[in-house]
Amino acid sequence: MLTEVELERYARQVMLFGKDGQERLKKSRVFIAGAGGLGCPVALYLAAAGVGYLRIVDKDFVERSNLNRQVLHWEQDIGKEKVMSVEEKLLAINPHIEIEALCQVIDQTNVSELVGDADLIVDAMDNYPTRYLLNRTAHEKNIPLIHGAIRGFDGQATTVIPGKSACLSCIFPCAPPAEVFPVVGVTPGIIGMIQANEVIKYLVGTGKLLTDRLLIWNGLLAEMDTLRFGRRFDCEVCGHGSSDV
């Protein structure tokens, strides 16, 4: 049940999706992979919205070069574990939620345990091998995945519902070359907020999700488009020959 303090805090949201919707947010468990450029705005807005439990996993420490875009890390956090820096800020923003911060590498030996019984997985990573691992885990556990990626002024986002929509491997059967990519700070802010918006819509059961659509943001032109796609018959994760079909 929502407390009187929570009802006051979330009053403008309750106007949108009622007490039941806000209570669903409070009871929800979200796994966020990454505490960097995308993970910071995702975690910030989900915490502010009242998502009750956030498990955030990232292996890195705060560096000065992060500060142009990773908005929950500040000058005094340099050298600190990113997940601890994020946890500190989120609890200051909203003390009514629970944060579990884990400084770990996400790999095939621990990803299933790390995701655990989450209601939803957020891909806020900066590399495709881990994204593919999260995508496969989402299908194995039948947990929705919210994907986001950025480069420079450009970004993309989509939502994967296992068994109902195309998966990340359908869209990107081959990973792009690994690189240290340029980025302006507003780009992960925009894409991260789109991801957070998808999370909230899914958890409260409202709106139309970005399933089978890839949202493309072009910051230089200030244009946003969506590309439609479908499940690939030969996809190794969700196609005809995969184990979950």
Side-chain angles (χ1 to χ4, degrees):
M1 296 291 292
L2 298 170
T3 66
E4 289 300 318
V5 171
E6 288 173 317
L7 284 171
E8 182 180 0
R9 172 182 282 265
Y10 307 123
R12 295 297 184 97
Q13 291 178 185
V14 170
M15 293 171 66
L16 285 173
F17 38 73
K19 291 182 182 179
D20 288 345
Q22 190 63 51
E23 287 174 352
R24 285 197 291 273
L25 290 181
K26 183 176 181 178
K27 295 175 182 176
S28 296
R29 303 169 65 86
V30 175
F31 176 83
I32 303 175
L38 289 169
C40 283
V42 169
L44 170 62
Y45 279 91
L46 294 184
V51 174
Y53 174 92
L54 300 175
R55 176 179 289 175
I56 306 168
V57 181
D58 194 301
K59 66 178 177 60
D60 290 333
F61 294 74
V62 179
E63 300 176 358
R64 183 166 280 108
S65 61
N66 303 146
L67 303 185
N68 80 310
R69 65 198 182 281
Q70 300 182 16
V71 293
L72 291 180
H73 306 312
W74 304 340
E75 190 78 21
Q76 65 264 30
D77 299 314
I78 293 173
K80 186 184 296 185
E81 294 177 356
K82 286 186 178 180
V83 290
M84 300 308 297
S85 171
V86 167
E87 179 183 30
E88 176 183 308
K89 312 306 190 314
L90 296 183
L91 291 177
I93 290 166
N94 191 347
H96 304 285
I97 62 173
E98 182 180 353
I99 307 294
E100 185 176 7
L102 301 174
C103 187
Q104 294 188 36
V105 175
I106 300 172
D107 60 33
Q108 60 185 2
T109 69
N110 64 11
V111 63
S112 182
E113 181 180 357
L114 289 174
V115 171
D117 60 350
D119 297 301
L120 198 147
I121 300 169
V122 177
D123 163 23
M125 298 302 298
D126 61 358
N127 70 88
Y128 274 82
T130 308
R131 289 186 169 117
Y132 288 140
L133 186 59
L134 293 170
N135 180 60
R136 184 175 290 278
T137 302
H139 278 73
E140 290 173 352
K141 287 178 166 284
N142 196 32
I143 298 173
L145 171 72
I146 311 297
H147 160 75
I150 52 96
R151 188 186 190 281
F153 283 89
D154 303 323
Q156 65 190 35
T158 192
T159 293
V160 175
I161 307 293
K164 295 183 179 180
S165 74
C167 78
L168 199 62
S169 292
C170 291
I171 317 171
F172 306 107
C174 299
E179 63 170 331
V180 177
F181 52 84
V183 59
V184 64
V186 295
T187 306
I190 291 166
I191 299 301
M193 285 189 283
I194 290 169
Q195 289 181 277
N197 188 59
E198 288 291 285
V199 172
I200 292 169
K201 288 192 301 180
Y202 174 80
L203 293 177
V204 302
T206 190
K208 182 179 180 181
L209 297 170
L210 277 171
T211 50
D212 294 330
R213 294 182 296 152
L214 183 68
L215 182 147
I216 304 291
W217 165 249
N218 183 326
L220 288 177
L221 296 180
E223 292 182 351
M224 191 174 289
D225 296 307
T226 55
L227 303 177
R228 294 189 176 276
F229 56 87
R231 294 175 72 175
R232 287 195 302 111
F233 181 83
D234 61 343
C235 178
E236 63 179 13
V237 177
C238 73
H240 180 74
S242 63
S243 61
D244 66 328
V245 175

